[in-house]
Structures are given as C-alpha cells and as structure tokens.
Amino acid sequence: MFELRTSAAASKREQYEELAQQARGLMDGERDLIANAANFSALLFHSLADLNWAGFYLYDGTELVVGPFQGKPACIRIALGRGVCGTAAQSRQTQLVHDVHAFDGHIACDAASASEIVVPLVKADGSLLGVWDVDSPRVARFDEDDRAGMEMLCAVFMQAVAAA
Ligand code: SME
C-alpha cells in the first residue's frame, strides 16, 4: 500500500514536471500576457483529468476580472476577499478547497464545480497580477502534490511573462 501511494505521488510529480516543460516550450520567446495565459489554460485543461474549468482572473487595480480560460462562461468580476479566488488574491496564499460547498462565500460560477485550487500570481515587485483557478467536478480532486505542481507551473508562467 505504501509503495503504491509513493509511486502514485511520484508519477503525479512527473506529470507536473512534464507539463512545466511543455508550458516553457509554449511560452518560449513570447511575453504577451493574454497569448501565454490562453495557451497555458488550454494546455492544463486538456492535460489534467477531471477538470471543468481552468483559467485566470486578472487584477485590474480594483478587483479580479476574468481572463483567458477553458470551461463554461464564468463570473466576470470578483472583489478581493470574496470567494476562493478573492481570498487567494487578498491573502496571497494558495487556496486548496476539497469541498467548495463547505467554503464560506464560495462563488458558484459552474454548478458542476465540487473542489478547486487557486494560486495567487504575484509579480517580482510584489504587486498582484491575478490568480490561477482550477475547478473539478470531483470532491477532493486536488491534494498537496497538486498544490506544489500548480504553484510550480504558475512560477513558470510568471517567469515567462516577466522575461525580457
Ligand atoms: N469558484 C470561484 C469563482 C470562479 S469560478 O470557479 C470560475 C470562487 O469562489 O472564487
């Protein structure tokens, strides 16, 4: 049992490493935020199992505004501190939510969403770019390996859009 869990965890980490390589390749030499965000969303949405939404909310200086994504149409504006996305943006901490119905203030854009992970995107100067949000129709779809993997992928994204 222990071996099985270990190898399952290792293969998940390997999958994230592979995705990071593909993301670097997709964004190589391209700094355009919207272009990279669109391709990054498409890559992850179509590579990871059991997702119903994957995309960006970008900070406009006042609130979060929906950016490039894959999935059904979503809420357009989210105030800082509201819902899972607004909480990640305000606290600048990744939010790993096993059951969205148990998260006080969760915003249900797609009724199919049961669990989600939201990573804050902070620029090198400390200012907020936005958040990366991934939803699943399966309760507890995301674990600590997904948190580490998503944070690593978001670091690859931030590096690409900041690179000179
Ligand atoms: N559930 C999110 C809203 C965004 S959608 O899931 C795309 C939240 O509570 O912030």
Side-chain angles (χ1 to χ4, degrees), residues 34-72:
I34 300 301
N36 283 338
N39 268 340
F40 186 90
S41 305
L43 174 68
L44 269 63
F45 185 76
H46 291 285
S47 302
L48 295 167
D50 295 335
L51 303 185
N52 62 303
W53 203 90
F56 291 84
Y57 277 88
L58 301 173
Y59 184 54
D60 72 355
T62 306
E63 57 193 349
L64 296 170
V65 183
V66 75
F69 69 92
Q70 300 273 311
K72 289 187 180 171

Side-chain angles (χ1 to χ4, degrees), residues 53 57 74-75 78 82-86 105-107 109 116 133 135:
W53 203 90
Y57 277 88
C75 324
I78 298 177
R82 271 205 67 218
V84 185
C85 291
H106 165 253
I107 302 163
C109 290
E116 75 180 282
D133 176 14
D135 292 14

